[in-house]
Amino acid sequence: MRVRKFRLITLIGDIVILAISFLIATSFKPSGVKGYLPTHYIFFAGLSLIWIIVSLMNGKMHRGRIVNYTTLFTRVLTSNIVALAIIALFMYSIREYSYSRTVVLGTSVIATLLELMFGIPYIAYKKATIQEYQNYAEYTATRKKSEKELVDKINGNGNGNGHVIEEEINPRVIKAIEGEAGSEMAHAIMQIAGTRLNKKTAVVSTTTIFNITNLPEEKYDYIINLHRFNDIIKLNYFLDEVNFKLPYKGYFLGCVETKDQRKRRLLKKYPPVLNYVYYVFDFIIKRVLPKIKFTKKLYYLLTHDSNKVLSRAEALGRLARAGFMISQESFAGNYLCIEAIKIGDPIQMNGINYGPIIALPRVGKHGEMIKVYKLRTMHPYSEYIQDYIYNQYDLQDGGKFNDDFRITSWGSVCRKIWLDELPMLINLLKGNMKLVGVRPLSRQYFELYDPDLQERRIKYKPGLIPPFYADLPSDLVEIQESEKRYLDAFDRNSFLTDFRYFWKSVWNIMFRNARSR
């Protein structure tokens, strides 16, 4: 009964919003409402009918479908774009060109903005009134896990070595750590490193490369730096120098204040309202300015590369780029401690930057590596910890990683509305991808496939829309079976296969909520 009442209210509300939008759109024309109402009422009736049908099919008027701001924007935008496209296609098919494009487009745009304007307070109201009564099991299964939960899931918050016998640890090392960083940090490091804290352990607390350079080469098999990554000048060069001083399989332990820890600290430090004002300015200076080419110099002038903001993914990624494999992570007070093992030489950056558009190396036709363009949705240096993520986290439905902390908050929204895929049109224009085809895979992901499918899929161009969105497989095995079926059908009739997979994928994306996560 409540569902029917909700649909009736939203149905009436949508018609009212459309009527208001139509009146506003026509009021901008020289003839005004009186001039356009007699000639455009049929268009308004047709738009209203299509608008309501698409909204009902896409769940925009379903009580249980719009539960947060993301679903609100996704349902409203997809429904309204599809409705506008349908009526535009219908008008074109019957050769009806007498209707004003300003009125047609203006009505749709204004209605969309009004729906969002009314929808945002509604979501805020619903979250404020029912959040306390939400089913806890469902909440924990669907919400984004915190950094601490993800780290605890990996290694029990630093208990990877089991019971530590303090008598076997070099007391000089523990005393040095306690004197510089306190007993809590000393205990955390002892739990991580255990008996590896021996006579060949060097403990420093520095932000400059000079103090690492002065260490004897390969004299120590464990280097600990108690100063956080955030204050280290030229962090990449610093980590490269640490790598040079360690033997193969030598250990390095460092600490970082992650961006999430920093946010909590700042919001707690200042009084309400003022804390968020300060945080916004801090966000702009410390996270926006260094990412833009024309403001980097201003950022360095203001900060001198000190107290920089680092995400957990970036800290791990910088270590991996420097030739280290992540061994353990553990929270100690306000910092995240990371232990890493030297497994090779540092990877040279070769002019890599972290602007808004990225070129990802992917396996293309004939096995050649092609550049696939996408909007950046991950934290910097995330590409270097692909193997670490695969080893620590399971694959979710669709072949993506569970709890992938590399994805930024805004990046998650971009993926849900496909905005991150828009630059792939460049690949379509360059001719190294086609509209429908197997997904372009990274080398690491490609190696997970069966050898026979590896050999077969490189005979074809990858596609912007993969068979996944038509078949909706749930795991890697089903994904491979889905691609085999597509390739079999493509070999029989390429045009009809791509045509069928395209429209089936569009249907699933629009009405079955098939999204990249």
Side-chain angles (χ1 to χ4, degrees), residues 382-450:
S382 292
E383 63 270 27
Y384 296 104
I385 53 174
Q386 178 90 358
D387 291 337
Y388 179 70
I389 298 295
Y390 176 73
N391 291 330
Q392 299 296 344
Y393 300 101
D394 299 326
L395 291 176
Q396 68 182 15
D397 290 353
K400 300 297 180 70
F401 293 115
N402 276 318
D403 304 321
D404 195 343
F405 59 88
R406 299 174 300 167
I407 302 173
T408 63
S409 300
W410 73 272
S412 179
V413 175
C414 286
R415 289 186 173 206
K416 288 181 179 179
I417 61 175
W418 278 50
L419 189 61
D420 66 310
E421 309 282 357
L422 199 58
M424 290 175 68
L425 293 174
I426 298 173
N427 293 103
L428 195 64
L429 295 175
K430 291 177 67 174
N432 53 21
M433 290 182 65
K434 59 194 188 80
L435 184 61
V436 179
V438 294
R439 189 195 300 271
L441 300 177
S442 65
R443 176 60 66 182
Q444 293 94 331
Y445 204 110
F446 182 78
E447 295 297 334
L448 300 178
Y449 274 54
D450 295 336

Side-chain angles (χ1 to χ4, degrees), residues 257-412:
E257 181 189 49
T258 67
K259 69 175 185 63
D260 290 349
Q261 290 175 306
R262 179 186 181 87
K263 181 178 180 180
R264 287 194 297 269
R265 175 173 61 82
L266 293 179
L267 295 182
K268 187 177 180 180
K269 181 178 180 180
Y270 299 100
V273 180
L274 182 61
N275 57 357
Y276 275 97
V277 173
Y278 183 92
Y279 177 72
V280 169
F281 280 100
D282 182 80
F283 180 90
I284 294 172
I285 294 173
K286 296 295 179 68
R287 297 187 65 187
V288 177
L289 294 187
K291 300 295 190 297
I292 302 175
K293 181 179 180 180
F294 303 105
T295 57
K296 277 185 178 181
K297 291 184 178 179
L298 176 61
Y299 165 76
Y300 286 114
L301 180 66
L302 294 173
T303 66
H304 304 289
D305 201 28
S306 180
N307 196 23
K308 61 176 70 72
V309 179
L310 296 172
S311 65
R312 176 186 168 215
E314 181 174 350
L316 297 175
R318 284 179 181 258
L319 278 167
R321 184 218 60 83
F324 291 94
M325 178 181 71
I326 309 303
S327 172
Q328 291 189 70
E329 301 175 69
S330 175
F331 283 103
N334 296 321
Y335 300 134
L336 172 67
C337 295
I338 307 171
E339 182 189 62
I341 308 172
K342 176 179 175 178
I343 59 172
D345 295 328
I347 301 171
Q348 299 305 313
M349 296 289 287
N350 295 326
I352 293 176
N353 62 70
Y354 289 94
I357 296 181
I358 57 174
L360 300 173
R362 294 291 184 260
V363 179
K365 190 175 182 181
H366 305 308
E368 297 177 357
M369 299 304 294
I370 62 173
K371 293 179 179 179
V372 174
Y373 297 92
K374 299 184 75 174
L375 279 182
R376 178 174 296 283
T377 58
M378 290 188 176
H379 293 290
Y381 294 85
S382 292
E383 63 270 27
Y384 296 104
I385 53 174
Q386 178 90 358
D387 291 337
Y388 179 70
I389 298 295
Y390 176 73
N391 291 330
Q392 299 296 344
Y393 300 101
D394 299 326
L395 291 176
Q396 68 182 15
D397 290 353
K400 300 297 180 70
F401 293 115
N402 276 318
D403 304 321
D404 195 343
F405 59 88
R406 299 174 300 167
I407 302 173
T408 63
S409 300
W410 73 272
S412 179

Side-chain angles (χ1 to χ4, degrees), residues 27-88:
S27 66
F28 284 101
K29 302 294 289 183
S31 301
V33 177
K34 292 183 179 179
Y36 279 86
L37 189 59
T39 58
H40 281 64
Y41 73 91
I42 296 178
F43 151 75
F44 176 75
L47 175 63
S48 300
L49 179 62
I50 295 172
W51 195 276
I52 298 303
I53 292 174
V54 174
S55 298
L56 288 171
M57 293 180 66
N58 195 32
K60 190 174 78 175
M61 297 181 178
H62 194 285
R63 186 180 182 88
R65 298 282 178 85
I66 298 182
V67 295
N68 52 37
Y69 297 113
T70 301
T71 53
L72 170 68
F73 276 82
T74 302
R75 300 286 179 182
V76 169
L77 291 177
T78 54
S79 297
N80 297 359
I81 290 173
V82 170
L84 178 61
I86 291 174
I87 195 165

Side-chain angles (χ1 to χ4, degrees), residues 195-247:
T195 54
R196 291 193 292 273
L197 300 177
N198 52 39
K199 293 181 180 180
K200 297 188 70 176
T201 299
V203 180
V204 296
S205 181
T206 182
T207 61
T208 60
I209 301 174
F210 177 78
N211 292 323
I212 300 297
T213 304
N214 282 341
L215 293 174
E217 183 180 341
E218 295 192 356
K219 178 181 178 181
Y220 300 102
D221 55 21
Y222 206 120
I223 296 177
I224 299 173
N225 184 27
L226 299 175
H227 215 293
R228 61 181 194 163
F229 285 179
N230 310 74
D231 294 322
I232 295 177
I233 310 301
K234 296 182 178 180
L235 179 56
N236 284 344
Y237 294 110
F238 183 94
L239 296 176
D240 289 352
E241 189 67 18
V242 172
N243 179 293
F244 180 71
K245 294 298 178 180
L246 285 170

